[in-house]
Amino acid sequence: MSRARIAVLQFPGLNCERETLRELQRSGVDASIVRWNEGPSRIRDFAGFVIPGGFSYQDRVRAGAIAAKSSVLDTVVREVEGGKPILGICNGAQILVEAGLVPGEEPGRVDVCLARNRIEGWSGYHSRWVFVKAHGDGNFFTGDLTEPLPLVVAHAEGRFVSRDREAWERLRRKGRFVLRYCDSEGRDPRGFPDNPNGSPDDVAGMSGLDGQVLAFMPHPERAAHLWQVPEDLPGVWGERRRRAAGDRSALMGDGPGRVLLRAFARLNRGGST
Amino acid sequence: MSAYVFALCHRTVDLVAATAASTLRDALGLGEDLIALRRDDLHVLEDCRGEPAAWAAASAAHAAWFNPNTHRHAFFSAAEGAVDAAADFAASGRVVDEEGIDWPRPWLGRILHSDRADLLEARSAASAGGGGAVDAASTAGDLSAWLALPAAGGAFAVSLAAFDAEDPVYTLHGEDWPAPGARVLSLQLWTLALRAADAGQARRMAVEVALTRTRRRGLLIHPQVQAWALAAPITPLSRESR
């Protein structure tokens, strides 16, 4: 059976499309970069989508807001509502939230915002290694996640919020908070720095529609190889990295981000999982 | 103690407003009914000592809020209590009101200082000893002069203020401000020049395209994180009424 084709959607101002493409391909995924202006027929060719990180449209008005209104999203939304999976990484996550695909309780309704980081003493851009773990029964993206994953966050607006507390509770009960920040042992975080942006319920990734949509703030493509994991990182992955020191083959092996990216390799052409 | 509104805009094309305008026209259906879109940064300063000119100089020296090479600025008088009123307003959570909610007003008064000489000359010609009184008429007049929207028959200017709903008010730190410890409310003022049958329709159109509710409804303000209000009287833009 031929491999499913995945589109890495590029909007003006995104800047992680090359490494995202490369690491998807190294994960066994047949992926291509598709630019925002290539037309709907090209979009429909693909079995799934990734929107990478960066600063689409220079973050004008709000991060992700302009890209979410673009005509290419009309086609993408239709395809995703038909069951195709889509992963938004960082700015890609902001686009999915602004497009109403996450949480997607009602088609297109924007119920959540990725707001400015809120950390004791300051707010704004922050970059660091964090740990995330899967919650719930697992979906297309999180089914293979069994241990805390160390990944990099690099954002100024990564705090999932809704002013409607009842709506937030409904999202929690429905298991939308599929990836949460944790400490290196997988325990609930005790504030910053485990939770790097003040996201309530420590939400790092929120799912949408029937679970085929994931808005995820950390960057899996920056931790796809073991050599990318810092040697002094605590936890299982830090230990693996220390054991691999000096062993080129082991260092080039899978890093924690690979686990997420490989989800797309399970797709068959046509979008079934 | 005084209260000021420190207004800032770009000297040249504001790329954020230009991108937002083309999105409103092309993706959200406003088309030619949107004549112009303008974005201003406004900082409401309370518990202030010092003259506006000293504040402008301190702000430029700090590289805080604006760069005089790229921005124009003006100081308006402000009503005492405007910052608290805004914080109360944000805390009330009344943010998703289809009709919009008027800002606790009057809050923005007459122009006191600016790097635009034409505004100061117009103000001194218009006021013969009026001081800095804050009233609805001065809000409409001096704000309109600052915004300088193009004249257009059958069009209205609608100004919507948006600010952080969670922590709207902060305190200035640093000894070299004219009044360290002054409280600040920073907001964005979106002004839409809209072709409409009347002021009511203009208001409804502005709220519709400003408040983000779905992928195809709203762009400028996100009610999940921002409080917002109609910030000034809706003013006609016809040449005769100006």
Side-chain angles (χ1 to χ4, degrees):
Chain A
M1 185 173 290
S2 59
R3 291 182 301 170
R5 296 178 65 218
I6 302 301
V8 177
L9 297 173
Q10 184 192 10
F11 290 94
L14 293 184
N15 57 20
C16 298
E17 66 275 7
R18 287 284 159 198
E19 55 266 53
T20 302
L21 174 72
R22 185 184 62 218
E23 299 309 337
L24 280 166
Q25 290 171 338
R26 287 176 177 170
S27 303
V29 179
D30 181 4
S32 309
I33 289 176
V34 176
R35 293 187 173 80
W36 77 100
N37 55 1
E38 288 192 39
S41 59
R42 178 121 161 86
I43 295 293
R44 287 193 287 267
D45 274 351
F46 291 90
F49 309 94
V50 178
I51 308 182
F55 301 88
S56 60
Y57 295 92
Q58 221 176 32
D59 282 354
R60 291 178 190 175
V61 183
R62 270 187 317 281
I66 300 295
K69 313 288 187 196
S70 65
S71 58
V72 67
L73 254 287
D74 293 340
T75 310
V76 171
V77 166
R78 273 196 299 274
E79 298 296 301
V80 170
E81 286 175 345
K84 293 181 180 178
I86 186 167
L87 168 65
I89 302 169
C90 198
N91 192 224
Q94 292 159 339
I95 293 169
L96 294 183
V97 166
E98 288 279 346
L101 280 169
V102 173
E105 298 293 291
E106 279 190 24
R109 197 176 69 193
V110 181
D111 289 330
V112 171
C113 183
L114 276 160
R116 196 166 177 77
N117 298 347
R118 198 175 181 190
I119 310 160
E120 186 69 33
W122 98 98
S123 66
Y125 183 87
H126 189 65
S127 177
R128 71 178 307 114
W129 283 83
V130 296
F131 292 86
V132 298
K133 69 175 179 180
H135 280 253
D137 298 333
N139 62 19
F140 173 77
F141 295 101
T142 63
D144 290 346
L145 271 60
T146 55
E147 58 191 9
L149 298 182
L151 296 169
V152 173
V153 290
H155 57 250
E157 294 94 7
R159 186 167 53 95
F160 287 88
V161 293
S162 169
R163 294 191 78 194
D164 184 339
R165 289 181 184 171
E166 288 180 15
W168 186 262
E169 280 304 311
R170 276 198 302 277
L171 296 177
R172 190 214 311 262
R173 285 197 299 273
K174 291 179 81 168
R176 293 293 192 196
F177 308 156
V178 292
L179 287 156
R180 301 194 198 183
Y181 298 110
C182 59
D183 71 7
S184 60
E185 304 300 322
R187 295 173 296 230
D188 288 345
R190 285 174 295 180
F192 183 84
D194 293 339
N195 177 338
N197 52 33
S199 200
D201 287 308
D202 308 306
V203 179
M206 189 180 287
S207 72
L209 299 183
D210 297 321
Q212 75 269 41
V213 187
L214 176 62
F216 188 49
M217 289 313 297
H219 286 262
E221 81 282 6
R222 297 184 191 177
H225 296 281
L226 190 55
W227 65 263
Q228 292 171 306
V229 176
E231 278 193 50
D232 59 354
L233 210 64
V236 174
W237 282 97
E239 178 56 32
R240 286 176 190 152
R241 173 66 181 83
R242 285 187 288 279
R243 280 204 307 268
D247 180 346
R248 179 177 166 76
S249 170
L251 289 171
M252 289 303 292
D254 288 351
R258 186 79 68 202
V259 185
L260 265 171
L261 298 174
R262 197 170 274 147
F264 284 105
R266 293 198 305 268
L267 275 178
N268 298 322
R269 187 178 292 279
S272 59
T273 54
Chain B
M1 293 289 187
S2 303
Y4 302 125
V5 175
F6 184 16
L8 298 157
C9 70
H10 282 253
R11 283 181 182 271
T12 56
V13 176
D14 176 357
L15 295 175
V16 172
T19 304
S22 66
T23 303
L24 294 180
R25 288 189 183 107
D26 301 337
L28 300 190
L30 266 189
E32 298 304 308
D33 287 339
L34 179 66
I35 296 165
L37 176 67
R38 160 124 179 185
R39 183 185 62 131
D40 293 80
D41 289 322
L42 268 56
H43 306 281
V44 186
L45 305 166
E46 210 161 275
D47 308 328
C48 296
R49 291 182 300 275
E51 293 300 309
W55 277 94
S59 178
H62 274 257
W65 296 328
F66 88 118
N67 177 341
N69 297 308
T70 55
H71 290 73
R72 290 204 174 277
H73 70 269
F75 278 83
F76 295 78
S77 57
E80 288 285 353
V83 166
D84 284 335
D88 292 344
F89 173 76
S92 73
R94 294 176 298 156
V95 289
V96 189
D97 182 333
E98 299 289 322
E99 293 301 313
I101 302 164
D102 283 348
W103 185 273
R105 61 178 180 172
W107 65 287
L108 181 147
R110 295 180 176 175
I111 276 187
L112 304 171
H113 172 79
S114 177
D115 59 353
R116 277 180 57 188
D118 61 312
L119 292 183
L120 298 177
E121 287 164 12
R123 165 44 56 204
S124 39
S127 72
V134 177
D135 56 51
S138 61
T139 296
D142 281 17
L143 183 62
S144 292
W146 163 253
L147 294 173
L149 292 167
F156 297 85
V158 186
S159 290
L160 299 170
F163 55 91
D164 187 345
E166 296 172 318
D167 290 311
V169 180
Y170 58 99
T171 302
L172 278 185
H173 297 290
E175 288 304 310
D176 39 0
W177 288 102
R183 293 183 312 139
V184 186
L185 168 75
S186 294
L187 58 93
Q188 276 195 331
L189 188 72
W190 291 100
T191 302
L192 298 93
L194 292 163
R195 206 174 300 284
D198 52 39
Q201 188 193 21
R203 175 182 176 135
R204 285 190 294 277
M205 290 168 69
V207 171
E208 173 66 22
V209 298
L211 277 194
T212 303
R213 282 159 295 190
T214 73
R215 193 170 85 79
R216 285 294 179 210
R217 291 181 69 201
L219 170 67
L220 306 175
I221 298 167
H222 203 312
Q224 297 297 345
V225 284
Q226 289 178 301
W228 67 278
L230 187 74
I234 296 171
T235 52
L237 292 171
S238 60
R239 202 172 302 279
E240 304 75 49
S241 63
R242 310 189 89 196

